[in-house]
Amino acid sequence: MRNPEVRPLGRKIVAAILGTTLAALALSFLLNIIPMIHSYRQEAAGKARVLAGLMAASLAASVDFDDQAAAAENLATLSLNPTVAGGAVYLADGTLFAAWGRPPARPETVPFEAATLSGLTTAASIPAGRRGCAVVLSVSLSGQWAFLESYLFSGGVVFLGVFLFSFRLAGRFRRRLGDPLGELTRVVGDISVSRDYSRRVDYESDDELGVLVAEFNSMLRRVEDRDARLDRHREELEQTVEERTLQLKLNQLELLKNNRQLQMEIKRRAQAEMIREEVERINRHDLKSGLSLVIGYPELLLRQGGLNPEQEKQIRRIRAAGYRMLDMIRNHLDMFKMEKNVYALNRASVDLVQVLCDLEEEFAPLLGSSGVRLAIRLDGTDVVGDEEFTVSGEGPLLRTMCRNLIQNGIEASGPGDEVVVVLKSGERMRLSVSNPAAVPAEIRERFFEKYVTAGKENGTGLGTYFAALIARTHGADISMRTSEEAGTRLTIVFRAGKTACPPRHGGRREIVDV
């Protein structure tokens, strides 16, 4: 069916020819009129300069003899030039000496020339004995509008003539090109309605339209042959569909059977997972209950006092081991929450110097057995224990983070090596842990990933992973640099906060949001 919204191509051809011709003609008129108006204004400006020079020469005597009447008579001769709207003679101090018509204002400098859309002002010095005198003329450019009107009228006549000629020429092109295309469109519409692909377009020509019609008829023949082949294959396809449908039903029955088995397996695994979680919860509760005694009794003994330094040292190690075991029990669930981004931080002020000193005491047995030294420095000075380096965060988590990083450095070092922990204050507070051993090349790119470890007999690959997870949960940045020459340095950069506490015992105390 023919689309009623289709517009004949012949009309578009006529519109294209007329539009192109008239646009080119209008552009030529515009390009001609601009330089003509410019020439007119330049010629008027030149005449105004000459006229101003002549008037300046004729007014020299009147100015020298202070004869205002003679100067006015000289200016009155400007009425012979219809384009001059006014003139004035000004003395050096700006006083109006003589005027005619609409006297223009005296310009700042002489000679002077300024043009507007409809007027021109020019000034020239008077060659008189009295220096600084000037004659100023105001010239009207209204004649350019009459010139423009005449040019537009003649252009309109030419425009109309070209339009009529182009319209007749476009009509001939429309009939030569549009009529064959219209016939082709009608045949295509009839074929689309009746689906009769045996129809042909009866038109022959040696131009592009002839080639188009010939290819269209050839396409109809190919479509007619295709329909015949499709009819033959349709019966074969119907038989194949019946066979495939039967097979599909059998497959669906098998799939339903498998789905029922899968649902039963999922239900069994869900029950097993629920039981496992319940057992883990009970185990964590039981372990925490037992650890309360391991942690509580050392605290009680330390508060009661009466212990010698060696006994107090051993009691503190027992307490540290209890807290470490408690952290390990908590960390299992905390790690899962951090991975899911659902962990809620319990922020408080945490003194990292105290944390590191407690860890130094905790690692004393490991340091002694491995022959590794541990150094803690604050702003380049060794820590003695009375300094403070306070950040805002969750104490147990920050303690676990520091423990994992230090333990990683100790385990990677050999006898005689030194693990250095550096605290650096400033706008961005930093914590770095360095050791002389380089990270193996095969894990450098994946150092902070889960279960990544190398060269450790009992390594799990969770220490640095959990430390990085804690740092990022607190909003800090953690990075690693390693080389065979410089060893390995792990750096945590804390986000600067807005509050700071005064120094204590010579140390620097600052609160930052981690």
Side-chain angles (χ1 to χ4, degrees):
M1 182 179 295
R2 187 179 306 168
N3 189 349
E5 298 297 328
V6 173
R7 292 174 175 79
L9 183 61
R11 294 182 184 177
K12 296 180 180 179
I13 294 174
V14 172
I17 294 176
L18 291 179
T20 304
T21 303
L22 297 181
L25 186 61
L27 183 60
S28 65
F29 275 129
L30 181 63
L31 294 178
N32 285 334
I33 198 171
I34 292 176
M36 293 176 68
I37 292 296
H38 180 70
S39 299
Y40 178 87
R41 294 174 66 89
Q42 290 294 106
E43 182 180 356
K47 291 180 179 180
R49 287 193 296 271
V50 173
L51 182 60
L54 293 175
M55 291 302 300
S58 64
L59 290 169
S62 301
V63 171
D64 287 338
F65 290 102
D66 198 18
D67 189 351
Q68 294 183 348
E73 290 179 1
N74 285 340
L75 291 176
T77 59
L78 295 174
S79 61
L80 300 177
N81 191 334
T83 62
V84 180
V89 177
Y90 290 95
L91 299 180
D93 58 358
T95 303
L96 180 65
F97 184 72
W100 172 83
R102 296 191 301 274
R106 176 183 174 86
E108 295 289 337
T109 60
V110 179
F112 173 80
E113 184 176 304
T116 62
L117 187 62
S118 59
L120 175 69
T121 302
T122 181
S125 299
I126 299 177
R130 300 172 67 177
R131 299 295 182 182
C133 299
V135 59
V136 184
L137 301 182
S138 176
V139 180
S140 174
L141 298 177
S142 59
Q144 65 183 349
W145 308 121
F147 172 76
L148 180 61
E149 181 179 358
S150 174
Y151 182 79
L152 291 177
F153 176 78
S154 60
V157 173
V158 175
F159 194 85
L160 179 61
V162 172
F163 175 79
L164 295 176
F165 175 77
S166 299
F167 185 79
R168 292 180 62 86
L169 182 63
R172 295 190 62 184
F173 280 109
R174 181 186 64 81
R175 288 189 295 271
R176 293 289 299 273
L177 298 176
D179 292 347
L181 290 175
E183 177 65 19
L184 179 61
T185 304
R186 284 191 295 272
V187 173
V188 171
D190 294 340
I191 293 175
S192 65
V193 174
S194 63
R195 303 295 179 181
D196 183 10
Y197 296 106
S198 63
R199 290 283 305 273
R200 300 291 184 268
V201 180
D202 187 13
Y203 179 80
E204 294 183 359
S205 176
D206 58 353
D207 54 12
E208 288 83 355
L209 285 177
V211 175
L212 177 62
V213 171
E215 291 297 327
F216 180 73
N217 290 333
S218 176
M219 181 190 67
L220 291 178
R221 285 192 294 272
R222 291 194 296 271
V223 172
E224 190 175 7
D225 295 338
R226 182 205 62 185
D227 287 347
R229 290 194 301 271
L230 288 176
D231 290 337
R232 290 194 299 269
H233 290 303
R234 185 175 296 112
E235 296 179 358
E236 299 176 1
L237 181 60
E238 290 176 354
Q239 183 179 358
T240 304
V241 168
E242 291 178 358
E243 296 175 356
R244 297 292 177 85
T245 301
L246 179 59
Q247 183 64 35
L248 181 60
K249 290 181 179 179
L250 296 176
N251 293 338
Q252 287 177 343
L253 294 176
E254 183 68 21
L255 183 60
L256 289 174
K257 179 181 178 181
N258 294 336
N259 285 340
R260 285 194 296 270
Q261 294 177 353
L262 181 60
Q263 289 175 358
M264 294 176 62
E265 181 65 22
I266 292 174
K267 185 176 180 180
R268 286 196 298 269
R269 293 194 178 186
Q271 291 176 349
E273 182 68 19
M274 181 179 63
I275 295 173
R276 184 186 65 82
E277 291 180 356
E278 183 65 18
V279 170
E280 287 185 356
R281 185 185 66 79
I282 295 173
N283 289 339
R284 286 196 297 269
H285 179 268
D286 293 343
L287 288 173
K288 288 181 181 178
S289 299
L291 281 175
S292 62
L293 297 177
V294 177
I295 296 174
Y297 277 116
E299 292 285 356
L300 181 61
L301 292 174
L302 291 174
R303 283 199 298 268
Q304 289 178 350
L307 303 174
N308 59 44
E310 183 62 25
Q311 291 174 336
E312 183 176 349
K313 181 178 180 181
Q314 297 299 330
I315 290 296
R316 290 183 183 275
R317 289 182 179 178
I318 294 174
R319 183 187 62 178
Y323 276 116
R324 180 171 57 187
M325 189 63 185
L326 181 61
D327 289 344
M328 292 173 63
I329 296 172
R330 291 174 176 171
N331 291 342
H332 180 73
L333 181 60
D334 294 344
M335 183 186 301
F336 176 78
K337 291 182 179 180
M338 292 179 191
E339 290 174 336
K340 301 299 181 182
N341 292 324
V342 296
Y343 188 84
L345 281 176
N346 185 16
R347 290 187 177 274
S349 296
V350 181
D351 182 10
L352 291 185
V353 172
Q354 182 63 43
V355 170
L356 293 174
C357 290
D358 291 343
L359 290 176
E360 183 180 20
E361 182 68 23
E362 178 182 327
F363 282 121
L366 178 61
L367 292 171
S369 62
S370 62
V372 178
R373 300 187 307 276
L374 177 63
I376 304 174
R377 298 189 179 101
L378 173 61
D379 292 331
T381 303
D382 289 337
V383 169
V384 297
D386 60 353
E387 302 88 351
E388 290 194 14
F389 188 90
T390 309
V391 297
S392 175
E394 188 165 331
L397 289 181
L398 294 176
R399 179 186 181 90
T400 300
M401 178 186 70
C402 295
R403 177 190 295 116
N404 290 351
L405 297 181
I406 295 174
Q407 183 174 351
N408 182 78
I410 295 174
E411 293 176 349
S413 302
D417 291 339
E418 183 179 49
V419 176
V420 181
V421 182
V422 176
L423 298 172
K424 185 175 181 181
S425 58
E427 183 178 357
R428 298 293 301 274
M429 303 176 72
R430 297 171 181 266
L431 164 66
S432 64
V433 180
S434 304
N435 65 279
V439 176
E442 62 270 16
I443 66 169
R444 291 180 182 178
E445 297 296 327
R446 303 178 293 115
F447 184 74
F448 291 111
E449 294 182 10
K450 198 172 185 179
Y451 304 128
V452 174
T453 184
K456 295 182 181 180
E457 182 178 355
N458 297 318
T460 63
L462 293 177
T464 55
Y465 169 75
F466 192 38
L469 200 60
I470 294 173
R472 291 163 185 158
T473 301
H474 283 75
D477 298 326
I478 185 169
S479 61
M480 182 272 292
R481 290 188 177 182
T482 185
S483 66
E484 298 296 336
E485 298 79 12
T488 302
R489 173 179 294 176
L490 302 178
T491 303
I492 298 175
V493 181
F494 300 107
R495 187 171 54 198
K498 298 181 180 179
T499 61
C501 296
R504 178 179 175 185
H505 299 297
R508 301 181 63 180
R509 177 180 175 90
E510 301 184 38
I511 299 293
V512 300
D513 290 331
V514 179

